[in-house]
Amino acid sequence: MLSPRSSTLLKVAAASLIGATACGPRTTAPVTTGPAPRPTPVLMPPLAALGVHRVVPMPASVVAASGAPFALSATTTIVVPAAGGEAGRIGEALAVLLRPATGFPFAVTSTDAAVPNGSIVLRLGGAATLSSEGYELTISADSVRIVAAAPAGLFHGIQTFRQLLPAAIEAEQSTHREASGWSVPAGQITDYPRFAWRGAMLDVARHFFTVDEVKQLIDILALYKLNTLHLHLADDQGWRIQIDSWPRLAQYGGSTEVGGGPGGYFTKADYGDIVRYAQDRYITIVPEIDMPAHTNAAIASYPELGCSRTAPDVSPNAPGAGLYTGIHVGWSALCYDKETTYKFVNDVVGELAAMTPGPFIHIGGDEVQVLTIEQYATFIDRVQDIVAQHQKRMVGWDEIGRAHLKPTSVAQMWRSDTSMAAVRQGAKLVMSPATQAYIDMKYTPATELGLDWAAYVELRNAYDWDPVTQYKGVTANDVLGVEAPLWSETVQNITAAEYLILPRLPAIAEVGWSATQTRDWESFRARIAAHAPRWRLLGMNYYPSPQVNW
C-alpha cells in the first residue's frame, strides 16, 4: 500500500483554571500523597425487561417473559455444535467479545449433547422460514439459546445478544465491571431481514482509506446486521487497487487524491485481507471500477484510453501530468470505440473477479457527459458481457437502464430518472436515493463535513422512507435491497467518516432489515439514543442529532 494514512483521532483536552478572587487571599491546594482515589465507575444497569430493549435494527418479533433474567458469570460457557465449523468460530468470536469487560473466561465447548445450566448455546438447524440470515434467540434464567438455519443467522443473533447487554460490554478492560449487572431479561426474539442486500458504500478514490480504517467500517456494518460493503475503488482523483496487467493504474493513478494529498492503493494482499475480514462477519465486498466516466486516474496512467474533455479546473497540487485533485464530475471518459479500451476493461474485471469471491462487480456508469446515449449504451452492453464472462453479475448506477440489461444485472438507484427502464428489462434494484440514503450529505447547513447538492439529510430523513414506495412504479419484487453511499470529497479519514455515518447508517440498516409494520420513528429515536455510550466505548465518532434525546 502506498502512503498509508493513520486515522486522525479527535481528542478533547481539559484545562483547570486556578486563581484568586480580586480582593481575597490566594489559597493553596493541600498536598496529597499516595495513589489517587479510584474514580467511581459509571453505572450502566441491565435491561429491566425484554420489552424495553434497545436493539437496532428492530427485530421481527419480541416476546417478553416473566421469568428471571439470564446472568453472565465466571462459570458461563459457550456451547457450539460438535462439528465446530463456522458455528464454532462464531462461538469463539462471542467469547472474545464478552471476556474483556466482564473478566469471565467463557470457555467454548463443542457438543451436541445436553448442556449444563448457565450456558450460551449456539445451534444450527433452525426453521427454513428464518432464511439464511434469520435467527431465534431464547433467554431464560438457565440458558441463552441462539438457533439459526445458517451461520450468518447465528452471527446476527450474537449481535442482538450483544445489544441486549449493557453498553459497558464494549469496554476493553473494565472499570465498569463493578458497575454493571451482566444480565439479559427473559423472553424470545424471532428475527429475519426484509431485504437480501443491506449495505454501505465507501469512496476510497477521492480520499484514500487504509485497510485498518476499512475494517473499522466493517465492524460498524456487522453490529447493525448489514451484509454488503461496496468499495468505490477508482475515480478521477485516484485508482486504489493493484492490477498486475496495467501496473501504472495504482502506481501512478493512485499517487494523489482530492486536494493533492499522497493518495495510496490496496495491494492484492491488502484487498484479500479486507475480503477475509468481511467474510468472517458475513459481509460481501462489492468492488466498483467506475466507467466510462470518472476515469481520469486511469487515463492519466494510460493516455491511450482517454476521450475526455479538458478538466474544468486546474490541479495545482497534483504530483504529475494529467492527475486531477478537484471534485468536478462528468468530463472524463474512456473511448467507447477503441478495442484497447475493452482489453483494459477485460483485464481489470478479470483480475478483480479473481480476487473477489462475491458474485458482483460494480461498473459505475454514472454521470457521463462526453458520450451520446447511443455510445454509452454500446459501451455498457460490451462491459456487461465482459463481467458475465468472468462469472459475475454486473451492478451499475441507475443510468445503466439506458443500455440493454440482462435480467441478472442490478441497477443502483440514486435518483428516479431511469428506475423503470431497468425494471422493465428484469433487472433488480438497490435503492440509494440521494435525498435519504447519501450519508455524505450534511445533516444541516451548519455541518462542517459533507455536501448539500442533494439535500440536508438529518437522522429522521435517513429513517423515514420505504425502498418499495420511494419511486413510482417500483414493486417489492423489483427491490434487491438498500445501500447508504458515503462519497469522500470532504472526508479524509475514518473519524470524519464516522461522524457522517453515525447515527444515519443504523437508521438505514433498520430500513433494510425490519418489516414496515415494525418500524416507528419514535421507537427508533429512543432505541438509538442508548447506542451512544456503546459508540463512545468503541472509540467511534458520531453526530449527536438534536432529534434524539441522547
Side-chain angles (χ1 to χ4, degrees), residues 57-58 130-134 156 191-199 224-228 282 428-432 465-470 474-483 507-517 519:
M58 172 65 85
L130 292 175
S131 77
S132 63
E133 294 189 280
H156 295 322
D191 201 13
Y192 44 84
R194 181 184 181 191
F195 294 110
W197 181 308
R198 307 176 310 282
Y224 294 104
K225 304 184 179 74
L226 293 159
N227 66 359
T228 305
Y282 299 92
K428 297 296 184 183
L429 306 180
V430 171
M431 307 304 287
S432 300
W465 64 284
D466 187 271
V468 175
T469 60
Q470 180 70 20
V474 173
T475 69
N477 188 56
D478 300 324
V479 179
L480 184 59
V482 300
E483 183 178 293
I508 293 169
E510 185 153 309
V511 170
W513 179 279
S514 304
T516 304
Q517 63 270 23
R519 289 179 51 217

Side-chain angles (χ1 to χ4, degrees), residues 297-352:
I299 293 165
S301 305
Y302 294 96
E304 65 271 22
L305 298 172
C307 287
S308 304
R309 295 175 182 162
T310 302
D313 53 347
V314 297
S315 299
N317 295 324
L323 296 172
Y324 181 66
T325 61
I327 62 171
H328 289 281
V329 301
W331 53 275
S332 62
L334 298 175
C335 298
Y336 83 99
D337 55 354
K338 286 185 178 181
E339 286 307 308
T340 302
T341 296
Y342 298 103
K343 181 183 187 312
F344 161 78
V345 173
N346 184 64
D347 290 344
V348 169
V349 170
E351 290 194 39
L352 203 53

Side-chain angles (χ1 to χ4, degrees), residues 113-166:
V115 300
N117 287 348
S119 298
I120 301 170
V121 185
L122 307 184
R123 290 287 184 248
L124 292 172
T129 52
L130 292 175
S131 77
S132 63
E133 294 189 280
Y135 62 92
E136 189 172 83
L137 170 60
T138 305
I139 305 158
S140 67
D142 294 335
S143 67
V144 171
R145 295 183 65 87
I146 304 175
V147 181
L154 286 182
F155 184 80
H156 295 322
I158 70 170
Q159 304 311 312
T160 295
F161 179 67
R162 172 186 183 180
Q163 290 189 27
L164 292 172
L165 287 162

Side-chain angles (χ1 to χ4, degrees), residues 374-389:
E374 293 75 16
Q375 292 167 345
Y376 173 82
T378 296
F379 178 85
I380 296 298
D381 289 350
R382 286 197 62 174
V383 171
Q384 181 177 228
D385 288 340
I386 290 170
V387 172
Q389 288 165 13

Side-chain angles (χ1 to χ4, degrees), residues 234-495:
D235 212 297
D236 291 324
Q237 299 82 358
W239 185 283
R240 307 301 182 202
I241 184 68
Q242 175 186 348
I243 300 295
D244 292 337
S245 54
W246 298 74
R248 277 178 57 83
L249 291 171
Q251 295 167 2
Y252 189 71
S255 64
T256 193
E257 60 187 9
V258 167
Y265 66 87
F266 300 127
T267 66
K268 288 188 173 182
D270 292 333
Y271 184 78
D273 188 16
I274 291 169
V275 167
R276 288 187 296 274
Y277 193 87
Q279 281 183 313
D280 285 348
R281 290 149 183 81
Y282 299 92
I283 292 168
T284 298
I285 297 296
V286 177
E288 178 188 356
I289 302 296
D290 209 343
M291 58 180 95
H294 294 274
T295 48
N296 184 73
I299 293 165
S301 305
Y302 294 96
E304 65 271 22
L305 298 172
C307 287
S308 304
R309 295 175 182 162
T310 302
D313 53 347
V314 297
S315 299
N317 295 324
L323 296 172
Y324 181 66
T325 61
I327 62 171
H328 289 281
V329 301
W331 53 275
S332 62
L334 298 175
C335 298
Y336 83 99
D337 55 354
K338 286 185 178 181
E339 286 307 308
T340 302
T341 296
Y342 298 103
K343 181 183 187 312
F344 161 78
V345 173
N346 184 64
D347 290 344
V348 169
V349 170
E351 290 194 39
L352 203 53
M355 54 179 152
T356 302
F360 301 103
I361 298 287
H362 201 305
I363 58 86
D366 59 319
E367 297 179 319
V368 182
Q369 298 175 7
V370 177
L371 305 184
T372 67
I373 291 177
E374 293 75 16
Q375 292 167 345
Y376 173 82
T378 296
F379 178 85
I380 296 298
D381 289 350
R382 286 197 62 174
V383 171
Q384 181 177 228
D385 288 340
I386 290 170
V387 172
Q389 288 165 13
H390 291 284
Q391 310 302 312
K392 300 295 183 182
R393 295 175 63 182
M394 185 185 79
V395 186
W397 298 101
D398 67 54
E399 291 95 324
I400 65 169
R402 297 168 180 159
H404 305 95
L405 298 183
K406 299 177 187 294
T408 55
S409 291
V410 177
Q412 185 167 1
M413 310 308 299
W414 61 286
R415 54 185 188 173
S416 62
D417 297 34
T418 49
S419 59
M420 292 314 297
V423 166
R424 281 192 295 268
Q425 299 182 73
K428 297 296 184 183
L429 306 180
V430 171
M431 307 304 287
S432 300
T435 51
Q436 276 78 34
Y438 268 36
I439 54 175
D440 61 304
M441 293 295 108
K442 292 174 178 283
Y443 293 97
T444 72
T447 309
E448 289 113 344
L449 295 173
L451 302 173
D452 60 8
W453 59 264
Y456 295 113
V457 181
E458 246 291 3
L459 180 58
R460 186 165 187 173
N461 302 106
Y463 185 83
D464 263 347
W465 64 284
D466 187 271
V468 175
T469 60
Q470 180 70 20
Y471 295 141
K472 185 177 180 180
V474 173
T475 69
N477 188 56
D478 300 324
V479 179
L480 184 59
V482 300
E483 183 178 293
L486 178 68
W487 303 101
S488 65
E489 287 95 335
T490 69
V491 182
Q492 299 187 40
N493 53 58
I494 194 63
T495 304

Side-chain angles (χ1 to χ4, degrees), residues 161-219:
F161 179 67
R162 172 186 183 180
Q163 290 189 27
L164 292 172
L165 287 162
I169 199 65
E170 310 295 349
E172 290 184 348
Q173 51 185 319
S174 213
T175 56
H176 298 276
R177 282 180 195 157
E178 300 170 10
S180 299
W182 303 113
S183 65
V184 178
Q188 186 174 73
I189 293 177
T190 304
D191 201 13
Y192 44 84
R194 181 184 181 191
F195 294 110
W197 181 308
R198 307 176 310 282
M201 187 211 79
L202 180 63
D203 172 12
V204 300
R206 290 183 174 88
H207 281 102
F208 183 60
F209 290 75
T210 66
V211 171
D212 285 344
E213 288 179 309
V214 175
K215 288 180 178 180
Q216 289 176 63
L217 176 57
I218 289 171
D219 288 341

